[in-house]
Structure formats: C-alpha cells, structure tokens
Amino acid sequence: MTALLQVKGLAKSFGAVHAVKGLDFAIEEGRCVALLGPNGAGKTTTIRMITGLLKPTEGQLRFSGTGSSGDERRLIGYLPQSPAFYNWMTGFEYAVYAGRLCGLPAKAARERAKELMALVGLSGAAERRIGGYSGGMKQRLGLAQALMHRPKLLVMDEPVSALDPLGRREVLELLRELKRETTMLFSTHVLHDAEELCDDVIIIRDGQIALQGRVAAIRAEHRSPVIELRLERDAASERWLQSCETHFGDAAGEPAGAGLIQAIHVQDGSVRFTVREVDAARQLLLERLAKDRIKLTRLEVGHSSLEDLFMKVVTA
Amino acid sequence: MRTASLPVYLVMVQKELLELVRSFKLLWVPLVFVLLGIMQPVSIYYMPLLLESAGNLPDGTVIDIPMPLGSEVLAQTLRQFGTLGMLILALASMGVVSGERNSGAASLILVKPVSTLSYIGSKWTSMLLLTWGSLSAGYLASWYYTGLLIGEVAPGEVLGSLLAYGLWLSFATTMTLLFGTMLRSPAAAAFSSLGLSAALSLLSGLFPKQLGWNPGALSGYAYQLAADGVRNPDKLWWAVSATALLIALALAASAALLGRSPAVD
C-alpha cells in the first residue's frame, strides 16, 4: 500500500503554547483513519495544518500524487466542525460554486452538484437558501461541497459532534458509503464513532501520539481479561474494598501471584481487576474473599473494551 | 495552477456581484448617491423659496441670493459624496472580508485551490464596481438637474472631475478592504479607513505644496476640475500615480495578510 499522506515531525505552537508537539504518521490510500483524543489534545490544529489553513511551526506534510500542479489543496476535501456558508446562496448554488473554485467547468459542476446533493439527501432542499438549513443539513451540504472535485483525501473535523442523534446517524451512514470511494481522515472525541467506522486510529494526547495502529490490531493486542467483583454494602465489605489495593498490591509481589494483577480500579461497591491470567487470578480472589468472609454479590469475568484502553491512554 | 486562476477569479467576481444583488447593496447604495446628487442642485434652486416660507422674516425682506454657477453646484455635490457617500461606501464594504473570516466561510473557500489574491481581488473588483456605479449614477443625476435648474456644465469638466473623484473613492474603498482584512471588527475597519481618508484630505489641504501628491489631494483636484480647472496639473498626475501605486500595494498587503492566517476562529 502506498501512503497518500506522510506526516513527519508536525508541530505547531501558538506563542508559548505548544498545541501539537511532533506528530509522525501516515495515511494509506483507501483507508479510514480516526484522529482520536480528548478536547484540547490538538486534533483541530492538526487537521487545519493538513488542510493548509495553518502553517506548521515545524515538520512536513508530503502528499503522494500531487502531480505537476504542486497545489495539494486539489487533493483534499475539507469539512470543518461547523461549516459556514453564504446564507444568501441556495445549497445547490454553493455546491456549484465550490466545484467551480476547484476548476470544474460550469456544466460539469452543475451535474456533479446535482449528483452529490442527491447522495447527501438534499435534493429536496437544493433550491432553498442555506440560511434556512438545519445543523444536520449544513453538515451534509458541507460533505457535498467537499466532494465536488473528487478529492483523494476527505478531511473532517468532528463531523458528527454537533449533531443530534438522528443527524449523527445520517452522517455516519453517509460516511460509511463514502468510505468505499475515498480515503478519509476525521477527528473525533467519541470513541464509538471511530470504532464503528475506521480501519486505523491515531490517539493523541497533549499534542503527542499516544497510540496508533489498526483498530483490530489494537483491540487484540491491548485486550486483557478483567474480573469485576460486586460486594454487599455492609461496613466490613466497604472496608475490604478500600483496603483492596494494599491487599493485592502485596499479592502481586508474592512469587505465586507475581504480576498476576495488573491494575485495580475501585468504584463504589465494586472493584475491577485487570489481570494477566483469568484462572489463577480468580482462584486467588476467591480464596481471599472466603478467608476474609466477604459477602460477594457478583463476580464477572470479561475483557477490557477499547473504551477502557482509550481512558487509560488519555489519562495516563 | 497559474493557468486556472483567471477563470476562478471570474467565478469569484460573479459570486460577489450576486451577493451585492441579493443583499440589496446594488440597489440602496446607488440610490443614496442619486438622492445626494439630486438634492444639491434642487435645494440650491429652491433656497430662496425655502427661506421665504420659513416665515420668521419681517415683511418686505428682499431675498436676493445670487444663483451659483452650475460647475460650483457640481463641486458641492462632490463634497456631499465625500462625507455621506464615503460613509455609506465604508459601511457597505467594511465586512466583506472580516465577516467571512469571522464566520468561517472564508476558511471553507481558502482550502480550495484558490489564491488569496483572487479572493481579495474578487472582493475589490465588486466593491469598485459598486463605488464607480454609485458615483456615476449620483453625479450624472446631479449634472442633469444642475443643467435643468441652474446652468449647463460642459461634459469634459464633468468627466474629468468624475474620474478624479472616482479614483479617490476607490482609494478609500481599497483602504476599507485592507483594514477589513487586518482587523477583526468591521466597525473598526470602517472607522480606520474613514479616519485615514479624512487625515489625508486634511493634510493635503494644510500643506498643498508638500503633500499635493497624496491621494487625499484628489478630492480637491476633483472640485477644481468641476469648478474652474486645475491650478497645477503636474501635482494632479503625481497624485493619480501615487494613488494607483498605493491601491496596488494595499491589495498585495491584504492578500499576504490573508495568506498568513486564512481564518481567525
């Protein structure tokens, strides 16, 4: 596979604030990549540098296939977080205008606009002024105008964050269809969207890459067994729960249980153990519970989700 | 990319003109200029009548105001354009860049393969068309009514003063565009450009020998062209060249400024 976009050492500072501190990643042709991270991690700054709206302080972006024109903006279709149009134009006029700015002749632009307005489900509203559009309609128009020139890379900044559940569904469905045709990069702080749609994720935190790779690989690699205990809420159990970390912190040090329990997370009335091996850990826990005469209400064995991993990575 | 920039620029100019139509600027700005233009000769013609009907004069007062020359009336019309007209133009053009940048509409345009010079240039072209159109309409209306009510003025004088004054207004509009790119607030842009224009006019009025070449002197030359001919044509040509040069520089500066930070959100 060839990398459509190669990013090396990309950094941006605003005065003393280092918003992005050296990102390295590549986007391969035909894949859907999510740029994931909490608010303020530098997602929007990164996206804006890729689209050319911001000049990087350091680092470089290399697009393959820029050809002789040398203007990489031709390769990109961009949908900002909340796209702003000209409210006095109709949706159709805006799409045509966007196409003509990318060098399409008038007739081709009109045909392409008609086609895309139908694709994004705006045919009925095409002749209405954008001023009267809803948030979801604007987002869909934003997609249509970004696709006018058949960009190789569709870049989107939080494409669904500002939408209600219904609008969100619609846009996600659309993106799923578009995935077949173009390479996509979008930023989001919602893990679920990334998981549902993407092949690759890049998790950034404080302007640095915390984790990147294929969703499936990350899931397989970082999946670890989890044992969750729920106890009755009497005084003895509460005490046991509170002292849990010291108990099993020790246990981890014992030769038999060395490294067996990797993490302990106490939440009111329950505790989650991230373990290396389920059987041994379960045995250890049950013995301990029996010995301390703790009233157990539930014991559940499962796996950590991508959500847990995300939380771990971004709060670490 | 170079080969494609002219058609893109033309498409952008079309869009700007459509915006002028849809926002009714193409209607009300020329209308204000026409009203201003007509008011001058009409109010001078009816001045004695107005004074008489004001009613607080003692009986038997003889009002004898010498009728001014037609060319003087035209020069006065230009002064009207210089105050109210210029304010209207500044108001109409103050937000064309900063408005789009503040809303984010500009960033959606500038991620496309479009040069900042085409972007600024298209806005400048449309604002200039508005300026020249409004000025011509207003001035021609004034000329017509002056001819009817007060006295004929030769077309040559009208044309010369129209061109000089149009260049002066073009300069002011270009400055509004430059300040509108530089500053976030449209009101601040309008204020800065009006302030600069007033300062330049004032300076060239105070030091005509030293500063007769600056754009602010153009309005004075336009009055002279309308009324009784320019006293020192050399300086006029200097002023014309200086203005053209400054307009070009302002456009280049606006495009460069916009290129440095296409959006301000």
Side-chain angles (χ1 to χ4, degrees):
Chain A
M1 281 227 195
T2 49
L4 182 62
L5 168 65
Q6 186 89 40
V7 177
K8 276 208 180 102
L10 192 68
K12 176 79 190 175
S13 24
F14 299 100
V17 183
H18 301 285
V20 174
K21 312 169 193 165
L23 301 183
D24 294 288
F25 60 87
I27 295 174
E28 283 169 7
E29 197 146 6
R31 300 191 71 87
C32 172
V33 182
L35 194 61
L36 200 61
N39 291 327
K43 298 186 299 279
T44 299
T45 310
T46 308
I47 293 263
R48 296 177 72 102
M49 283 192 283
I50 290 173
T51 56
L53 284 174
L54 267 181
K55 294 226 163 41
T57 318
E58 259 177 72
Q60 43 179 291
L61 298 156
R62 199 176 308 133
F63 289 87
S64 73
T66 21
S68 54
S69 71
D71 194 343
E72 47 247 8
R73 289 180 299 181
R74 276 185 198 291
L75 301 180
I76 297 178
Y78 171 56
L79 171 63
Q81 188 163 1
S82 41
F85 307 99
Y86 302 118
N87 286 339
W88 50 269
M89 269 193 187
T90 68
F92 183 73
E93 280 170 341
Y94 193 90
V96 171
Y97 183 53
R100 300 220 55 196
L101 290 186
C102 295
L104 293 183
K107 190 159 168 270
R110 271 198 300 275
E111 276 163 16
R112 177 84 176 137
K114 199 171 273 176
E115 189 185 313
L116 282 172
M117 291 302 268
L119 177 72
V120 300
L122 282 178
S123 293
E127 299 302 329
R128 269 164 52 194
R129 297 271 166 105
I130 300 171
Y133 277 21
S134 70
M137 290 163 84
K138 281 187 184 167
Q139 211 75 15
R140 283 181 282 158
L141 176 61
L143 264 177
Q145 63 86 28
L147 291 167
M148 281 298 291
H149 58 302
R150 303 179 195 275
K152 290 209 153 168
L153 177 65
L154 180 61
V155 181
M156 292 168 285
D157 190 6
E158 304 271 3
V160 294
S161 302
L163 301 179
D164 61 27
L166 200 69
R168 189 188 180 81
R169 220 31 298 140
E170 289 170 356
V171 172
L172 282 176
E173 282 306 317
L174 247 168
L175 291 184
R176 203 187 304 281
E177 276 177 41
L178 292 173
K179 213 175 114 173
R180 283 184 230 131
E181 291 165 30
T182 88
T183 313
M184 289 200 284
L185 169 72
F186 72 88
S187 74
T188 177
H189 60 259
V190 185
L191 179 89
H192 189 68
D193 300 340
E195 222 179 332
E196 210 175 318
L197 215 58
C198 285
D199 309 309
D200 301 314
V201 288
I202 299 167
I203 302 183
I204 62 172
R205 181 179 149 249
D206 292 336
Q208 282 166 316
I209 292 184
L211 186 69
Q212 65 172 322
R214 309 216 155 163
V215 175
I218 288 180
R219 195 183 278 143
E221 194 178 320
H222 292 267
R223 200 159 91 140
S224 42
V226 168
I227 300 177
E228 189 173 344
L229 298 182
R230 184 164 282 277
L231 309 179
E232 276 188 21
R233 317 222 37 184
D234 58 319
S237 302
E238 292 285 347
R239 261 202 309 284
W240 191 85
L241 214 55
Q242 292 313 316
S243 56
C244 210
E245 293 208 30
T246 46
H247 289 319
F248 295 101
D250 293 348
E254 283 168 23
L260 190 57
I261 291 170
Q262 289 164 331
I264 299 168
H265 185 67
V266 181
Q267 246 173 1
D268 54 10
S270 73
V271 55
R272 275 167 75 96
F273 298 94
T274 308
V275 303
R276 205 188 54 210
E277 206 222 314
V278 180
D279 288 339
R282 178 163 43 199
Q283 192 62 31
L284 178 76
L285 286 173
L286 284 173
E287 279 168 16
R288 190 72 199 218
L289 286 165
K291 198 179 116 205
D292 295 346
R293 294 170 173 276
I294 298 302
K295 295 173 185 159
L296 180 70
T297 59
R298 205 173 78 188
L299 183 147
E300 195 178 317
V301 178
H303 286 283
S304 62
S305 62
L306 217 50
E307 179 106 33
D308 296 324
L309 175 66
F310 177 64
M311 289 308 289
K312 197 176 109 195
V313 166
V314 300
T315 54
Chain B
M1 189 197 157
R2 287 278 152 258
T3 50
S5 39
L6 186 66
V8 165
Y9 163 76
L10 290 177
V11 168
M12 292 177 96
V13 171
Q14 266 175 31
K15 173 256 161 190
E16 293 299 329
L17 291 179
L18 188 63
E19 180 164 11
L20 285 183
V21 172
R22 296 242 172 114
S23 63
F24 298 107
K25 277 182 191 167
L26 208 54
L27 184 69
W28 64 262
V29 177
L31 210 62
V32 170
F33 271 82
V34 168
L35 281 177
L36 282 176
I38 295 174
M39 248 164 59
Q40 199 60 31
V42 168
S43 65
I44 284 174
Y45 183 75
Y46 288 106
M47 189 58 80
L49 213 70
L50 287 170
L51 284 178
E52 210 169 313
S53 64
N56 51 3
L57 295 169
D59 276 349
T61 308
V62 181
I63 301 172
D64 188 17
I65 301 174
M67 196 52 86
L69 289 172
S71 53
E72 285 166 14
V73 176
L74 282 186
Q76 287 163 1
T77 308
L78 287 181
R79 286 207 174 83
Q80 291 289 323
F81 291 160
T83 49
L84 213 51
M86 200 179 266
L87 177 70
I88 295 291
L89 281 175
L91 290 178
S93 56
M94 65 185 184
V96 290
V97 178
S98 58
E100 288 192 8
R101 285 176 93 200
N102 288 338
S103 76
S107 60
L108 215 51
I109 298 303
L110 290 169
V111 291
K112 300 192 162 63
V114 165
S115 75
T116 50
L117 195 60
S118 311
Y119 182 83
I120 293 287
S122 69
K123 304 221 169 271
W124 180 74
T125 310
S126 71
M127 291 327 294
L128 241 57
L129 284 173
L130 182 68
T131 303
W132 282 93
S134 305
L135 177 65
S136 309
Y139 203 43
L140 291 180
S142 180
W143 183 38
Y144 176 71
Y145 275 85
T146 305
L148 273 186
L149 301 173
I150 292 158
E152 297 286 340
V153 183
E157 286 165 12
V158 174
L159 190 67
S161 55
L162 175 69
L163 289 177
Y165 210 79
L167 190 61
W168 166 235
L169 287 186
S170 307
F171 172 77
T173 307
T174 311
M175 287 301 134
T176 313
L177 202 65
L178 173 66
F179 286 119
T181 314
M182 220 184 286
L183 306 167
R184 261 179 196 229
S185 146
F191 182 80
S192 307
S193 108
L194 288 174
L196 180 71
S197 305
L200 286 180
S201 295
L202 193 68
L203 280 176
S204 62
L206 286 177
F207 309 106
K209 278 226 169 75
Q210 291 79 11
L211 293 171
W213 53 269
N214 95 64
L218 277 175
S219 52
Y221 293 131
Y223 306 146
Q224 291 174 18
L225 278 167
D228 45 17
V230 179
R231 283 181 282 276
N232 40 2
D234 269 9
K235 282 259 172 57
L236 168 63
W237 289 113
W238 272 110
V240 169
S241 331
T243 308
L245 185 69
L246 283 172
I247 287 178
L249 282 178
L251 283 178
S254 307
L257 268 173
L258 191 67
R260 208 186 297 162
S261 60
V264 283
D265 43 1

